[in-house]
PDB file of all heavy atoms in Angstrom:
ATOM      1  N   GLY J  58     143.919 262.206 -26.829  1.00 38.00           N
ATOM      2  CA  GLY J  58     144.108 263.523 -27.411  1.00 38.00           C
ATOM      3  C   GLY J  58     144.847 263.561 -28.704  1.00 38.00           C
ATOM      4  O   GLY J  58     144.481 262.965 -29.699  1.00 38.00           O
ATOM      5  N   ALA J  59     145.993 264.322 -28.656  1.00 39.00           N
ATOM      6  CA  ALA J  59     146.752 264.574 -29.876  1.00 39.00           C
ATOM      7  C   ALA J  59     147.304 263.307 -30.469  1.00 39.00           C
ATOM      8  O   ALA J  59     147.445 263.188 -31.678  1.00 39.00           O
ATOM      9  CB  ALA J  59     147.902 265.544 -29.563  1.00 39.00           C
ATOM     10  N   ALA J  60     147.631 262.303 -29.646  1.00 40.00           N
ATOM     11  CA  ALA J  60     148.172 261.053 -30.185  1.00 40.00           C
ATOM     12  C   ALA J  60     147.165 260.388 -31.089  1.00 40.00           C
ATOM     13  O   ALA J  60     147.498 259.854 -32.143  1.00 40.00           O
ATOM     14  CB  ALA J  60     148.565 260.129 -29.026  1.00 40.00           C
ATOM     15  N   ALA J  61     145.901 260.406 -30.702  1.00 37.00           N
ATOM     16  CA  ALA J  61     144.858 259.818 -31.541  1.00 37.00           C
ATOM     17  C   ALA J  61     144.703 260.593 -32.828  1.00 37.00           C
ATOM     18  O   ALA J  61     144.473 260.031 -33.888  1.00 37.00           O
ATOM     19  CB  ALA J  61     143.536 259.781 -30.777  1.00 37.00           C
ATOM     20  N   ALA J  62     144.843 261.907 -32.764  1.00 39.00           N
ATOM     21  CA  ALA J  62     144.683 262.714 -33.965  1.00 39.00           C
ATOM     22  C   ALA J  62     145.778 262.437 -34.969  1.00 39.00           C
ATOM     23  O   ALA J  62     145.590 262.621 -36.165  1.00 39.00           O
ATOM     24  CB  ALA J  62     144.698 264.207 -33.576  1.00 39.00           C
ATOM     25  N   ASN J  63     146.935 262.017 -34.493  1.00 41.00           N
ATOM     26  CA  ASN J  63     148.043 261.715 -35.391  1.00 41.00           C
ATOM     27  C   ASN J  63     148.005 260.294 -35.913  1.00 41.00           C
ATOM     28  O   ASN J  63     148.903 259.865 -36.616  1.00 41.00           O
ATOM     29  CB  ASN J  63     149.378 261.952 -34.660  1.00 41.00           C
ATOM     30  CG  ASN J  63     149.575 263.421 -34.344  1.00 41.00           C
ATOM     31  OD1 ASN J  63     149.099 264.271 -35.082  1.00 41.00           O
ATOM     32  ND2 ASN J  63     150.280 263.710 -33.247  1.00 41.00           N
ATOM     33  N   ALA J  64     146.984 259.534 -35.545  1.00 39.00           N
ATOM     34  CA  ALA J  64     146.937 258.125 -35.931  1.00 39.00           C
ATOM     35  C   ALA J  64     146.374 257.925 -37.322  1.00 39.00           C
ATOM     36  O   ALA J  64     146.195 256.815 -37.763  1.00 39.00           O
ATOM     37  CB  ALA J  64     146.103 257.333 -34.921  1.00 39.00           C
ATOM     38  N   GLY J  65     146.034 259.027 -38.021  1.00 39.00           N
ATOM     39  CA  GLY J  65     145.574 258.924 -39.404  1.00 39.00           C
ATOM     40  C   GLY J  65     144.297 258.137 -39.523  1.00 39.00           C
ATOM     41  O   GLY J  65     143.310 258.408 -38.869  1.00 39.00           O
ATOM     42  N   GLU J  66     144.315 257.114 -40.367  1.00 39.00           N
ATOM     43  CA  GLU J  66     143.112 256.338 -40.621  1.00 39.00           C
ATOM     44  C   GLU J  66     142.676 255.558 -39.395  1.00 39.00           C
ATOM     45  O   GLU J  66     141.575 255.016 -39.364  1.00 39.00           O
ATOM     46  CB  GLU J  66     143.353 255.385 -41.795  1.00 39.00           C
ATOM     47  CG  GLU J  66     143.598 256.109 -43.108  1.00 39.00           C
ATOM     48  CD  GLU J  66     143.829 255.149 -44.243  1.00 39.00           C
ATOM     49  OE1 GLU J  66     143.865 253.935 -43.976  1.00 39.00           O
ATOM     50  OE2 GLU J  66     143.975 255.592 -45.392  1.00 39.00           O
ATOM     51  N   GLY J  67     143.567 255.453 -38.390  1.00 38.00           N
ATOM     52  CA  GLY J  67     143.198 254.701 -37.206  1.00 38.00           C
ATOM     53  C   GLY J  67     142.335 255.474 -36.234  1.00 38.00           C
ATOM     54  O   GLY J  67     141.917 254.925 -35.223  1.00 38.00           O
ATOM     55  N   VAL J  68     142.044 256.782 -36.505  1.00 36.00           N
ATOM     56  CA  VAL J  68     141.207 257.566 -35.587  1.00 36.00           C
ATOM     57  C   VAL J  68     139.784 257.026 -35.611  1.00 36.00           C
ATOM     58  O   VAL J  68     139.224 256.800 -36.684  1.00 36.00           O
ATOM     59  CB  VAL J  68     141.204 259.053 -36.007  1.00 36.00           C
ATOM     60  CG1 VAL J  68     140.258 259.852 -35.131  1.00 36.00           C
ATOM     61  CG2 VAL J  68     142.610 259.629 -35.929  1.00 36.00           C
ATOM     62  N   PRO J  69     139.170 256.767 -34.443  1.00 36.00           N
ATOM     63  CA  PRO J  69     137.791 256.253 -34.425  1.00 36.00           C
ATOM     64  C   PRO J  69     136.854 257.208 -35.145  1.00 36.00           C
ATOM     65  O   PRO J  69     136.965 258.412 -35.028  1.00 36.00           O
ATOM     66  CB  PRO J  69     137.462 256.180 -32.924  1.00 36.00           C
ATOM     67  CG  PRO J  69     138.781 256.177 -32.226  1.00 36.00           C
ATOM     68  CD  PRO J  69     139.714 256.949 -33.100  1.00 36.00           C
ATOM     69  N   GLN J  70     135.947 256.676 -35.897  1.00 40.00           N
ATOM     70  CA  GLN J  70     135.002 257.483 -36.658  1.00 40.00           C
ATOM     71  C   GLN J  70     133.796 257.877 -35.813  1.00 40.00           C
ATOM     72  O   GLN J  70     133.347 257.134 -34.949  1.00 40.00           O
ATOM     73  CB  GLN J  70     134.536 256.701 -37.897  1.00 40.00           C
ATOM     74  CG  GLN J  70     135.668 256.369 -38.860  1.00 40.00           C
ATOM     75  CD  GLN J  70     136.344 257.621 -39.379  1.00 40.00           C
ATOM     76  OE1 GLN J  70     135.668 258.487 -39.929  1.00 40.00           O
ATOM     77  NE2 GLN J  70     137.642 257.723 -39.187  1.00 40.00           N
ATOM     78  N   ILE J  71     133.277 259.112 -36.050  1.00 35.00           N
ATOM     79  CA  ILE J  71     132.095 259.604 -35.333  1.00 35.00           C
ATOM     80  C   ILE J  71     130.884 259.440 -36.225  1.00 35.00           C
ATOM     81  O   ILE J  71     130.934 259.697 -37.421  1.00 35.00           O
ATOM     82  CB  ILE J  71     132.275 261.092 -34.964  1.00 35.00           C
ATOM     83  CG1 ILE J  71     133.484 261.256 -34.042  1.00 35.00           C
ATOM     84  CG2 ILE J  71     131.031 261.651 -34.313  1.00 35.00           C
ATOM     85  CD1 ILE J  71     133.815 262.691 -33.725  1.00 35.00           C
ATOM     86  N   ASP J  72     129.802 258.986 -35.648  1.00 38.00           N
ATOM     87  CA  ASP J  72     128.553 258.845 -36.396  1.00 38.00           C
ATOM     88  C   ASP J  72     127.871 260.212 -36.446  1.00 38.00           C
ATOM     89  O   ASP J  72     127.194 260.629 -35.525  1.00 38.00           O
ATOM     90  CB  ASP J  72     127.653 257.814 -35.714  1.00 38.00           C
ATOM     91  CG  ASP J  72     126.429 257.505 -36.557  1.00 38.00           C
ATOM     92  OD1 ASP J  72     126.198 258.224 -37.561  1.00 38.00           O
ATOM     93  OD2 ASP J  72     125.706 256.569 -36.223  1.00 38.00           O
ATOM     94  N   PHE J  73     128.083 260.959 -37.547  1.00 32.00           N
ATOM     95  CA  PHE J  73     127.541 262.310 -37.650  1.00 32.00           C
ATOM     96  C   PHE J  73     126.024 262.331 -37.689  1.00 32.00           C
ATOM     97  O   PHE J  73     125.407 263.360 -37.431  1.00 32.00           O
ATOM     98  CB  PHE J  73     128.118 263.000 -38.898  1.00 32.00           C
ATOM     99  CG  PHE J  73     129.572 263.352 -38.761  1.00 32.00           C
ATOM    100  CD1 PHE J  73     130.538 262.500 -39.263  1.00 32.00           C
ATOM    101  CD2 PHE J  73     129.967 264.505 -38.119  1.00 32.00           C
ATOM    102  CE1 PHE J  73     131.886 262.803 -39.132  1.00 32.00           C
ATOM    103  CE2 PHE J  73     131.311 264.809 -38.002  1.00 32.00           C
ATOM    104  CZ  PHE J  73     132.276 263.964 -38.499  1.00 32.00           C
ATOM    105  N   ASP J  74     125.413 261.216 -38.016  1.00 38.00           N
ATOM    106  CA  ASP J  74     123.952 261.176 -38.047  1.00 38.00           C
ATOM    107  C   ASP J  74     123.364 261.358 -36.658  1.00 38.00           C
ATOM    108  O   ASP J  74     122.190 261.721 -36.508  1.00 38.00           O
ATOM    109  CB  ASP J  74     123.471 259.842 -38.629  1.00 38.00           C
ATOM    110  CG  ASP J  74     123.823 259.722 -40.097  1.00 38.00           C
ATOM    111  OD1 ASP J  74     124.002 260.789 -40.737  1.00 38.00           O
ATOM    112  OD2 ASP J  74     123.927 258.589 -40.590  1.00 38.00           O
ATOM    113  N   LEU J  75     124.164 261.110 -35.600  1.00 37.00           N
ATOM    114  CA  LEU J  75     123.660 261.223 -34.233  1.00 37.00           C
ATOM    115  C   LEU J  75     123.830 262.629 -33.668  1.00 37.00           C
ATOM    116  O   LEU J  75     123.374 262.913 -32.568  1.00 37.00           O
ATOM    117  CB  LEU J  75     124.395 260.220 -33.321  1.00 37.00           C
ATOM    118  CG  LEU J  75     124.252 258.747 -33.718  1.00 37.00           C
ATOM    119  CD1 LEU J  75     125.064 257.886 -32.769  1.00 37.00           C
ATOM    120  CD2 LEU J  75     122.783 258.334 -33.716  1.00 37.00           C
ATOM    121  N   LEU J  76     124.502 263.529 -34.403  1.00 35.00           N
ATOM    122  CA  LEU J  76     124.747 264.881 -33.908  1.00 35.00           C
ATOM    123  C   LEU J  76     123.696 265.842 -34.431  1.00 35.00           C
ATOM    124  O   LEU J  76     123.218 265.711 -35.551  1.00 35.00           O
ATOM    125  CB  LEU J  76     126.134 265.361 -34.358  1.00 35.00           C
ATOM    126  CG  LEU J  76     127.325 264.515 -33.855  1.00 35.00           C
ATOM    127  CD1 LEU J  76     128.610 265.124 -34.384  1.00 35.00           C
ATOM    128  CD2 LEU J  76     127.344 264.443 -32.349  1.00 35.00           C
ATOM    129  N   THR J  77     123.358 266.821 -33.602  1.00 36.00           N
ATOM    130  CA  THR J  77     122.416 267.851 -34.038  1.00 36.00           C
ATOM    131  C   THR J  77     123.151 268.838 -34.930  1.00 36.00           C
ATOM    132  O   THR J  77     124.192 269.368 -34.547  1.00 36.00           O
ATOM    133  CB  THR J  77     121.849 268.605 -32.824  1.00 36.00           C
ATOM    134  OG1 THR J  77     121.228 267.663 -31.964  1.00 36.00           O
ATOM    135  CG2 THR J  77     120.854 269.675 -33.251  1.00 36.00           C
ATOM    136  N   PRO J  78     122.658 269.095 -36.150  1.00 38.00           N
ATOM    137  CA  PRO J  78     123.354 270.020 -37.054  1.00 38.00           C
ATOM    138  C   PRO J  78     123.452 271.411 -36.447  1.00 38.00           C
ATOM    139  O   PRO J  78     122.547 271.866 -35.746  1.00 38.00           O
ATOM    140  CB  PRO J  78     122.474 270.017 -38.312  1.00 38.00           C
ATOM    141  CG  PRO J  78     121.655 268.772 -38.208  1.00 38.00           C
ATOM    142  CD  PRO J  78     121.462 268.532 -36.747  1.00 38.00           C
ATOM    143  N   ASP J  79     124.572 272.110 -36.694  1.00 39.00           N
ATOM    144  CA  ASP J  79     124.721 273.492 -36.230  1.00 39.00           C
ATOM    145  C   ASP J  79     123.772 274.388 -36.997  1.00 39.00           C
ATOM    146  O   ASP J  79     123.530 274.207 -38.193  1.00 39.00           O
ATOM    147  CB  ASP J  79     126.161 273.983 -36.469  1.00 39.00           C
ATOM    148  CG  ASP J  79     127.144 273.276 -35.556  1.00 39.00           C
ATOM    149  OD1 ASP J  79     126.716 272.828 -34.484  1.00 39.00           O
ATOM    150  OD2 ASP J  79     128.327 273.191 -35.917  1.00 39.00           O
ATOM    151  N   ASN J  80     123.248 275.396 -36.297  1.00 38.00           N
ATOM    152  CA  ASN J  80     122.399 276.400 -36.936  1.00 38.00           C
ATOM    153  C   ASN J  80     123.301 277.512 -37.454  1.00 38.00           C
ATOM    154  O   ASN J  80     123.918 278.220 -36.665  1.00 38.00           O
ATOM    155  CB  ASN J  80     121.403 276.952 -35.911  1.00 38.00           C
ATOM    156  CG  ASN J  80     120.502 278.016 -36.512  1.00 38.00           C
ATOM    157  OD1 ASN J  80     120.644 278.382 -37.675  1.00 38.00           O
ATOM    158  ND2 ASN J  80     119.588 278.522 -35.704  1.00 38.00           N
ATOM    159  N   PRO J  81     123.402 277.680 -38.777  1.00 38.00           N
ATOM    160  CA  PRO J  81     124.319 278.701 -39.300  1.00 38.00           C
ATOM    161  C   PRO J  81     123.908 280.113 -38.936  1.00 38.00           C
ATOM    162  O   PRO J  81     124.695 281.039 -39.055  1.00 38.00           O
ATOM    163  CB  PRO J  81     124.252 278.482 -40.827  1.00 38.00           C
ATOM    164  CG  PRO J  81     122.931 277.831 -41.050  1.00 38.00           C
ATOM    165  CD  PRO J  81     122.681 276.977 -39.840  1.00 38.00           C
ATOM    166  N   LEU J  82     122.667 280.312 -38.465  1.00 41.00           N
ATOM    167  CA  LEU J  82     122.187 281.639 -38.089  1.00 41.00           C
ATOM    168  C   LEU J  82     122.310 281.892 -36.592  1.00 41.00           C
ATOM    169  O   LEU J  82     121.997 282.973 -36.110  1.00 41.00           O
ATOM    170  CB  LEU J  82     120.725 281.810 -38.506  1.00 41.00           C
ATOM    171  CG  LEU J  82     120.443 281.642 -40.006  1.00 41.00           C
ATOM    172  CD1 LEU J  82     118.958 281.818 -40.278  1.00 41.00           C
ATOM    173  CD2 LEU J  82     121.258 282.642 -40.814  1.00 41.00           C
ATOM    174  N   ALA J  83     122.760 280.886 -35.841  1.00 38.00           N
ATOM    175  CA  ALA J  83     122.836 281.028 -34.391  1.00 38.00           C
ATOM    176  C   ALA J  83     123.978 281.961 -34.004  1.00 38.00           C
ATOM    177  O   ALA J  83     124.992 282.053 -34.694  1.00 38.00           O
ATOM    178  CB  ALA J  83     123.039 279.663 -33.736  1.00 38.00           C
ATOM    179  N   THR J  84     123.790 282.682 -32.886  1.00 41.00           N
ATOM    180  CA  THR J  84     124.832 283.568 -32.366  1.00 41.00           C
ATOM    181  C   THR J  84     125.788 282.759 -31.506  1.00 41.00           C
ATOM    182  O   THR J  84     125.355 282.067 -30.584  1.00 41.00           O
ATOM    183  CB  THR J  84     124.204 284.687 -31.516  1.00 41.00           C
ATOM    184  OG1 THR J  84     123.274 285.400 -32.326  1.00 41.00           O
ATOM    185  CG2 THR J  84     125.282 285.633 -30.994  1.00 41.00           C
ATOM    186  N   PRO J  85     127.087 282.815 -31.783  1.00 40.00           N
ATOM    187  CA  PRO J  85     128.036 282.061 -30.956  1.00 40.00           C
ATOM    188  C   PRO J  85     127.973 282.507 -29.504  1.00 40.00           C
ATOM    189  O   PRO J  85     127.785 283.685 -29.203  1.00 40.00           O
ATOM    190  CB  PRO J  85     129.402 282.404 -31.580  1.00 40.00           C
ATOM    191  CG  PRO J  85     129.081 282.915 -32.939  1.00 40.00           C
ATOM    192  CD  PRO J  85     127.738 283.560 -32.846  1.00 40.00           C
ATOM    193  N   VAL J  86     128.114 281.563 -28.610  1.00 42.00           N
ATOM    194  CA  VAL J  86     128.097 281.846 -27.180  1.00 42.00           C
ATOM    195  C   VAL J  86     129.483 281.574 -26.619  1.00 42.00           C
ATOM    196  O   VAL J  86     130.028 280.487 -26.799  1.00 42.00           O
ATOM    197  CB  VAL J  86     127.056 280.975 -26.452  1.00 42.00           C
ATOM    198  CG1 VAL J  86     127.095 281.249 -24.949  1.00 42.00           C
ATOM    199  CG2 VAL J  86     125.671 281.225 -27.016  1.00 42.00           C
ATOM    200  N   ALA J  87     130.060 282.572 -25.965  1.00 43.00           N
ATOM    201  CA  ALA J  87     131.384 282.402 -25.376  1.00 43.00           C
ATOM    202  C   ALA J  87     131.282 281.513 -24.151  1.00 43.00           C
ATOM    203  O   ALA J  87     130.400 281.690 -23.310  1.00 43.00           O
ATOM    204  CB  ALA J  87     131.962 283.757 -24.983  1.00 43.00           C
ATOM    205  N   ILE J  88     132.140 280.534 -24.060  1.00 45.00           N
ATOM    206  CA  ILE J  88     132.151 279.607 -22.932  1.00 45.00           C
ATOM    207  C   ILE J  88     133.460 279.765 -22.187  1.00 45.00           C
ATOM    208  O   ILE J  88     134.531 279.722 -22.774  1.00 45.00           O
ATOM    209  CB  ILE J  88     131.997 278.153 -23.417  1.00 45.00           C
ATOM    210  CG1 ILE J  88     130.662 277.994 -24.162  1.00 45.00           C
ATOM    211  CG2 ILE J  88     132.075 277.175 -22.246  1.00 45.00           C
ATOM    212  CD1 ILE J  88     130.471 276.639 -24.765  1.00 45.00           C
ATOM    213  N   ASP J  89     133.375 279.988 -20.874  1.00 48.00           N
ATOM    214  CA  ASP J  89     134.592 280.115 -20.083  1.00 48.00           C
ATOM    215  C   ASP J  89     135.332 278.797 -20.055  1.00 48.00           C
ATOM    216  O   ASP J  89     134.727 277.747 -19.860  1.00 48.00           O
ATOM    217  CB  ASP J  89     134.255 280.518 -18.636  1.00 48.00           C
ATOM    218  CG  ASP J  89     133.744 281.945 -18.565  1.00 48.00           C
ATOM    219  OD1 ASP J  89     134.063 282.723 -19.479  1.00 48.00           O
ATOM    220  OD2 ASP J  89     133.036 282.271 -17.607  1.00 48.00           O
ATOM    221  N   PRO J  90     136.644 278.818 -20.251  1.00 51.00           N
ATOM    222  CA  PRO J  90     137.400 277.562 -20.169  1.00 51.00           C
ATOM    223  C   PRO J  90     137.352 276.991 -18.764  1.00 51.00           C
ATOM    224  O   PRO J  90     137.383 277.723 -17.777  1.00 51.00           O
ATOM    225  CB  PRO J  90     138.821 277.991 -20.550  1.00 51.00           C
ATOM    226  CG  PRO J  90     138.860 279.457 -20.277  1.00 51.00           C
ATOM    227  CD  PRO J  90     137.479 279.967 -20.542  1.00 51.00           C
ATOM    228  N   ILE J  91     137.269 275.677 -18.680  1.00 50.00           N
ATOM    229  CA  ILE J  91     137.164 275.020 -17.382  1.00 50.00           C
ATOM    230  C   ILE J  91     138.403 275.293 -16.543  1.00 50.00           C
ATOM    231  O   ILE J  91     138.328 275.501 -15.338  1.00 50.00           O
ATOM    232  CB  ILE J  91     136.976 273.499 -17.567  1.00 50.00           C
ATOM    233  CG1 ILE J  91     135.629 273.231 -18.245  1.00 50.00           C
ATOM    234  CG2 ILE J  91     137.065 272.767 -16.242  1.00 50.00           C
ATOM    235  CD1 ILE J  91     135.397 271.784 -18.576  1.00 50.00           C
ATOM    236  N   ASP J  92     139.545 275.338 -17.189  1.00 52.00           N
ATOM    237  CA  ASP J  92     140.800 275.475 -16.462  1.00 52.00           C
ATOM    238  C   ASP J  92     141.326 276.907 -16.453  1.00 52.00           C
ATOM    239  O   ASP J  92     142.517 277.128 -16.351  1.00 52.00           O
ATOM    240  CB  ASP J  92     141.864 274.553 -17.069  1.00 52.00           C
ATOM    241  CG  ASP J  92     141.478 273.084 -16.919  1.00 52.00           C
ATOM    242  OD1 ASP J  92     140.856 272.756 -15.904  1.00 52.00           O
ATOM    243  OD2 ASP J  92     141.806 272.298 -17.813  1.00 52.00           O
ATOM    244  N   LYS J  93     140.424 277.911 -16.595  1.00 53.00           N
ATOM    245  CA  LYS J  93     140.903 279.287 -16.573  1.00 53.00           C
ATOM    246  C   LYS J  93     141.452 279.624 -15.194  1.00 53.00           C
ATOM    247  O   LYS J  93     141.029 279.059 -14.186  1.00 53.00           O
ATOM    248  CB  LYS J  93     139.775 280.249 -16.944  1.00 53.00           C
ATOM    249  CG  LYS J  93     138.691 280.406 -15.894  1.00 53.00           C
ATOM    250  CD  LYS J  93     137.675 281.434 -16.339  1.00 53.00           C
ATOM    251  CE  LYS J  93     136.571 281.607 -15.297  1.00 53.00           C
ATOM    252  NZ  LYS J  93     135.596 282.619 -15.706  1.00 53.00           N
ATOM    253  N   PRO J  94     142.419 280.542 -15.131  1.00 58.00           N
ATOM    254  CA  PRO J  94     143.042 280.860 -13.845  1.00 58.00           C
ATOM    255  C   PRO J  94     142.021 281.402 -12.840  1.00 58.00           C
ATOM    256  O   PRO J  94     141.110 282.145 -13.194  1.00 58.00           O
ATOM    257  CB  PRO J  94     144.072 281.938 -14.213  1.00 58.00           C
ATOM    258  CG  PRO J  94     144.296 281.774 -15.678  1.00 58.00           C
ATOM    259  CD  PRO J  94     143.003 281.261 -16.247  1.00 58.00           C
ATOM    260  N   THR J  95     142.154 281.023 -11.600  1.00 54.00           N
ATOM    261  CA  THR J  95     141.291 281.527 -10.540  1.00 54.00           C
ATOM    262  C   THR J  95     141.837 282.858 -10.063  1.00 54.00           C
ATOM    263  O   THR J  95     143.029 282.959  -9.748  1.00 54.00           O
ATOM    264  CB  THR J  95     141.254 280.546  -9.348  1.00 54.00           C
ATOM    265  OG1 THR J  95     140.779 279.291  -9.820  1.00 54.00           O
ATOM    266  CG2 THR J  95     140.343 281.066  -8.240  1.00 54.00           C
ATOM    267  N   PRO J  96     140.989 283.926 -10.029  1.00 55.00           N
ATOM    268  CA  PRO J  96     141.487 285.230  -9.587  1.00 55.00           C
ATOM    269  C   PRO J  96     142.050 285.146  -8.172  1.00 55.00           C
ATOM    270  O   PRO J  96     141.513 284.439  -7.317  1.00 55.00           O
ATOM    271  CB  PRO J  96     140.234 286.116  -9.627  1.00 55.00           C
ATOM    272  CG  PRO J  96     139.278 285.402 -10.535  1.00 55.00           C
ATOM    273  CD  PRO J  96     139.575 283.950 -10.392  1.00 55.00           C
TER     274      PRO J  96
END
């Protein structure tokens, strides 16, 4: 997590060529957090 983010240049690089580009015209979809409180 956060420790890796603070590692600067040592953070592993992601191959962006393997990701599907976001559609700038797409409507955002709200996603319930996995750890949301149980009623």
